[in-house]
Amino acid sequence: MDQRLADLRDVLVAAQTAEGDVARELKKAEADVEQVVNRAVRDRRLLESGRGSAKDLENIQHELATLARRQSDLEDVVLEVMERMETAQARVAEMSAQRDEAQARRDEVGAALLAAQSEIDAEIGKLTAERATAAGTIPEDLLALYERVRAANGGVGAAAIRQRRCEGCRLELDISEINAIKAAPADQVVRHEECGRILVRVPDSGL
């Protein structure tokens, strides 16, 4: 999501740059038209004043015709640039909308992640406190054994027996191990021969 937002920002910058280039081109084209119009206004005033020789007045008439053609050509250029300007502005508007949508989505996901992290931290705190309370009721030698086994087995020191299978390593207990567990007193600590975890007998152990 961060990469998409970064990509959209880059595309938006490129679109804004293109818009700026067209805006400058449009300003120049409009200035060119204005320059021709001003020259034509000056020539018309000279022509209307009647001052100058017949040759001068004839030259002014020719220049007015030339300026009229030039003005028409420049106005066509202005129209073409204005069309490109509209396209550039639409592109900027589109990319701005997509950038804003992506930013809003990122903010939404970020807020959800923070909320989830807060819940996880609260749950960890709760479970840590419960574990500390439970650990206080367990004999020290058994707790020490559990910690050693847990360290050697990826953080899982004890596992339930369900349907004659160790929930820690998911291996099925062999018949001799089952018989030994059946014969053991309820308060005796039993361990799985394969993974070494402490086995916990539950109602559906299948023993």
Side-chain angles (χ1 to χ4, degrees):
M1 181 167 295
D2 286 344
Q3 185 59 52
R4 171 167 168 74
L5 183 57
D7 291 343
L8 286 172
R9 286 171 176 165
D10 290 343
V11 173
L12 176 57
V13 169
Q16 290 171 331
T17 301
E19 180 188 21
D21 292 342
V22 177
R24 286 188 290 274
E25 188 178 347
L26 178 59
K27 185 177 181 179
K28 181 181 182 304
E30 290 174 336
D32 290 343
V33 171
E34 184 179 4
Q35 185 178 12
V36 171
V37 169
N38 291 339
R39 180 67 179 269
V41 169
R42 188 197 67 178
D43 284 354
R44 287 194 190 92
R45 287 174 180 169
L46 287 173
L47 188 63
E48 291 169 356
S49 70
R51 290 177 298 182
S53 65
K55 183 64 174 176
D56 290 339
L57 295 176
E58 182 180 354
N59 288 338
I60 291 174
Q61 286 179 327
H62 285 311
E63 183 172 306
L64 281 170
T66 300
L67 289 172
R69 290 192 296 272
R70 176 63 175 161
Q71 180 179 342
S72 177
D73 291 342
L74 289 173
E75 287 174 344
D76 288 342
V77 171
V78 169
L79 288 174
E80 186 271 331
V81 177
M82 287 180 68
E83 289 177 356
R84 287 194 284 118
M85 186 65 180
E86 290 178 359
T87 300
Q89 290 173 334
R91 177 65 172 167
V92 169
E94 176 188 359
M95 298 316 302
S96 294
Q98 289 190 27
R99 186 274 316 273
D100 292 345
E101 181 180 353
Q103 182 66 58
R105 178 58 180 160
R106 182 184 182 281
D107 293 344
E108 179 183 346
V109 171
L113 286 175
L114 285 175
Q117 186 62 54
S118 295
E119 291 181 3
I120 291 171
D121 290 344
E123 185 65 17
I124 289 174
K126 177 184 176 184
L127 292 176
T128 300
E130 291 177 353
R131 183 183 185 280
T133 300
T137 65
I138 299 175
E140 291 186 5
D141 56 344
L142 177 57
L143 185 60
L145 171 64
Y146 169 78
E147 291 295 347
R148 289 197 303 273
V149 174
R150 187 170 73 91
N153 286 278
V156 180
I161 305 170
R162 296 190 188 280
Q163 299 301 316
R164 300 190 174 190
R165 186 183 301 274
C166 171
E167 288 288 288
C169 62
R170 307 300 299 171
L171 293 177
E172 188 172 348
L173 279 63
D174 62 39
I175 189 64
S176 61
E177 196 168 10
I178 292 172
N179 289 334
I181 294 172
K182 282 182 179 180
D187 60 351
Q188 180 179 326
V189 176
V190 293
R191 298 175 63 184
H192 190 192
E193 293 178 359
E194 292 292 337
C195 68
R197 290 182 174 90
I198 298 171
L199 293 174
V200 180
R201 285 159 281 189
V202 296
D204 61 344
S205 290
L207 301 176

